[in-house]
Amino acid sequence: MKEFNIYAFADEASPMIDGQIKAMKQNGVKGLEIRNVDDINISDITKEKAKEVRKKLDDAGLTVWSIGSPIGKIDIEKDDFEAHTEKFKHTLEIADILGAGNIRLFSFYIPQGKKTDEFKDEVIDRLGKFTDIAAGSGIDLCHENEKGIYGAMAAECLTILKALPALKGIFDPANFVQCGQDTLEAWSLLKPYTKYMHIKDATSDGSVVPAGEGAGNVRAIVSDFSANGGRDFTIEPHLAVFDGLSALERKGEKSNVGKFVYDSNEQAFTAAVSAFRKIAEEV
């Protein structure tokens, strides 16, 4: 297996930082794309809380690869961009305290019924303001493709990344599948701009499944990314959990509720990590 750097959204294993640390250690994951800690979004924690989290992670020998922030997930017409900019500045401070080299962000929700191209200039202007603020910090801003935002489709992501060379790309196969975007086509456009991948897969009906089990062409894209020097991956499980399942079954029996439904968040997290490790061994 190639030497990949594997990180994870460990808040999917536990809402509490201690539980996240436990899950990462049990699964041999080296660090976090940190999104929520102790039931608080990472962009809303105090600097004092960030220092507390940093100490726990340092003591456990774990790192923060990226801040899984919600920056850019606001309505481009209705929501207060100035207030959101202050939130971004705070997130930048949190990233510095946690030693994160990256902040994940988005390119704003587009009003339903309106064409994304109407907002191209505003999107680029706003993201440009973020890159200006972050300049000199040593922290990369990384744009993720996501449903409902300007950069939901590959062509829009490419427009952003060409216009703003300081911005890096995150490639999320499942999000593209859920938007009806062919992932191999997307990859051909975006691979020169991609800093790292989110490991998440989905079937054509939009259901999230372990990596390699869906329509995201995850194995082929990971292989090509790796062949071109890509080494950084964040596992984002998003797998279905029915945590009341075990209470409804006799010991040793399993209900027929679908191939990829898990008894607990911890089990789903382990399944997601295992699925990616299997792919990593093959590429």
Side-chain angles (χ1 to χ4, degrees):
M1 184 174 75
K2 293 183 178 178
E3 290 298 318
F4 290 158
N5 299 316
I6 302 176
Y7 309 98
F9 285 100
D11 58 344
E12 295 199 31
S14 171
M16 309 306 288
I17 190 62
D18 291 342
Q20 293 175 34
I21 290 170
K22 179 181 177 183
M24 289 189 293
K25 298 287 277 186
Q26 287 178 337
N27 286 279
V29 178
K30 69 182 296 178
L32 279 163
E33 181 148 349
I34 195 165
R35 182 171 51 195
N36 295 285
V37 289
D38 298 342
D39 275 329
I40 304 172
N41 185 273
I42 193 64
S43 291
D44 294 325
I45 68 171
T46 64
K47 289 186 277 189
E48 290 71 26
K49 180 66 174 180
K51 291 173 184 175
E52 174 192 319
V53 170
R54 175 68 185 267
K55 184 177 187 310
K56 287 188 174 186
L57 292 171
D58 285 348
D59 289 347
L62 299 169
T63 62
V64 175
W65 159 250
S66 184
I67 303 296
S69 85
I71 297 299
K73 275 194 169 184
I74 61 170
D75 187 290
I76 198 165
E77 280 191 329
K78 297 177 182 177
D79 292 326
D80 186 343
F81 179 64
E82 293 306 317
H84 202 61
T85 301
E86 293 305 309
K87 189 183 192 76
F88 170 72
K89 291 176 182 177
H90 178 70
T91 303
L92 198 61
E93 292 180 316
I94 297 301
D96 182 62
I97 292 169
L98 292 174
N102 306 286
I103 294 175
R104 180 276 303 266
L105 45 66
F106 303 92
S107 50
F108 309 100
Y109 287 125
I110 302 303
Q112 291 186 346
K114 294 198 174 182
K115 295 181 178 179
T116 56
D117 198 55
E118 295 177 35
F119 299 93
K120 178 183 72 173
D121 292 342
E122 181 68 14
V123 165
I124 291 170
D125 181 65
R126 289 184 175 197
L127 291 175
K129 288 178 180 176
F130 290 156
T131 60
D132 288 345
I133 292 167
S137 67
I139 297 169
D140 281 340
L141 305 187
C142 303
H143 175 268
E144 179 186 352
N145 57 289
E146 171 67 286
K147 300 178 293 294
I149 64 171
Y150 175 84
M153 305 297 282
E156 284 77 23
C157 293
L158 184 62
T159 295
I160 292 168
L161 294 166
K162 278 187 171 181
L164 298 168
L167 201 64
K168 312 300 181 184
I170 303 170
F171 193 94
D172 188 308
N175 288 350
F176 276 136
V177 171
Q178 291 171 337
C179 291
Q181 167 74 64
D182 179 85
T183 57
L184 293 178
E185 178 188 352
W187 181 244
S188 70
L189 293 174
L190 299 176
K191 66 180 178 179
Y193 304 92
T194 298
K195 181 169 185 179
Y196 69 100
M197 287 185 65
H198 278 174
I199 298 301
K200 189 162 95 249
D201 204 351
T203 55
S204 56
D205 67 358
S207 300
V208 177
V209 293
E213 300 288 348
N217 297 297
V218 174
R219 186 175 283 98
I221 294 169
V222 168
S223 180
D224 192 54
F225 185 45
S226 170
N228 287 280
R231 291 292 180 269
D232 297 302
F233 303 87
T234 293
I235 296 169
E236 185 176 15
H238 272 25
L239 297 174
V241 176
F242 180 17
D243 57 10
L245 185 59
S246 59
L248 303 179
E249 300 168 327
R250 287 192 301 179
K251 187 175 181 180
E253 292 184 350
K254 287 289 180 185
S255 298
N256 184 22
V257 293
K259 187 176 179 182
F260 302 115
V261 177
Y262 300 90
D263 293 344
S264 66
N265 291 320
E266 294 85 353
Q267 187 186 85
F269 183 83
T270 296
V273 175
S274 298
F276 179 64
R277 288 197 188 281
K278 182 180 178 182
I279 289 173
E281 289 170 356
E282 297 171 351
V283 301

